[in-house]
Amino acid sequence: MVVDDQAVVRAGFAAMVDAEPDLTVVAEAGDGASAVELAAARAPDLVLMDIRMPGMDGLTATRLITGLETRPRVLVLTTFDLDEYVYEALRAGASGFLLKDAQPEELLTAVRVVAAGDGILAPGVTRRLIDTFARGGSLPPPVPAFLARLTPREREVLLHIASGRTNAEIGVELGVTTGTVKTHVNALLAKLGLRDRVQATILAYESGLIRPGGTPAL
């Protein structure tokens, strides 16, 4: 489902996605309230979500949509001047952020990655997010107790995830196969009750496990 208050932008994104043989747009909405209603009725796998819209904004809509029984995944589309919303949208349940000026292939890749169950952040958005932690932004209290649920290797993998490394890169660093890394990733996500790597990264920064810039704190 494509959600954007600008009809031309919405139609453009919808046409781009619908042109792919493995992707289908099942609904379009121009505001948050309509998006929530349509998501409940049409049960999309993924929602491309604008943030700033009249009436109910994208943050509220994201929180309500990810709370539906069908648990649609949300990929937020934004511009650089909206990056102050990144953290709140991720906390609301979004699985990723992509800039509206992204190339078509980047958008389609992001749609497939998020729909497959992973998370994604545009590099520029990731830098802004980390900058927020570096400035000491308003964050929830640290929750280091979660570390006790992880094995030493799972904790190590979490550090690498929060540093932005892919499974292949983590495998090279640890001297194990990509499949083994994926097993560790799935295990730590399950133990921590997290949806994907994006949420794992947020938790690592919130808890103080890793410092802004990707430096382990412990």
Side-chain angles (χ1 to χ4, degrees), residues 187-199:
L188 71 87
L189 292 179
K191 288 181 179 180
L192 300 178
L194 302 175
R195 184 183 299 109
D196 50 44
R197 301 166 73 96
V198 171
Q199 289 193 336

Side-chain angles (χ1 to χ4, degrees), residues 13-89:
F13 284 136
M16 189 188 309
V17 172
D18 233 1
E20 296 297 300
D22 60 326
L23 302 173
T24 301
V25 176
V26 298
E28 297 179 35
D31 60 76
S34 297
V36 174
E37 182 178 348
L38 284 169
R42 303 303 299 273
D45 297 308
L46 179 140
V47 179
L48 285 177
M49 178 71 74
D50 189 17
I51 290 183
R52 187 173 293 176
M53 296 181 290
M56 182 187 294
D57 63 21
L59 294 177
T60 302
T62 293
R63 187 174 294 107
L64 294 174
I65 287 173
T66 56
L68 293 173
E69 186 176 349
T70 52
R71 300 301 296 271
R73 300 177 66 79
V74 175
L75 173 61
V76 173
L77 297 171
T78 187
T79 54
F80 272 115
D81 64 321
L82 295 182
D83 279 351
E84 65 267 24
Y85 296 112
V86 172
Y87 182 75
E88 288 304 319

Side-chain angles (χ1 to χ4, degrees), residues 164-200:
R165 293 185 175 89
T166 65
N167 285 354
E169 291 170 337
I170 296 173
V172 171
E173 183 72 22
L174 300 182
V176 299
T177 66
T178 301
T180 298
V181 174
K182 187 174 182 179
T183 297
H184 289 312
V185 171
N186 290 338
L188 71 87
L189 292 179
K191 288 181 179 180
L192 300 178
L194 302 175
R195 184 183 299 109
D196 50 44
R197 301 166 73 96
V198 171
Q199 289 193 336

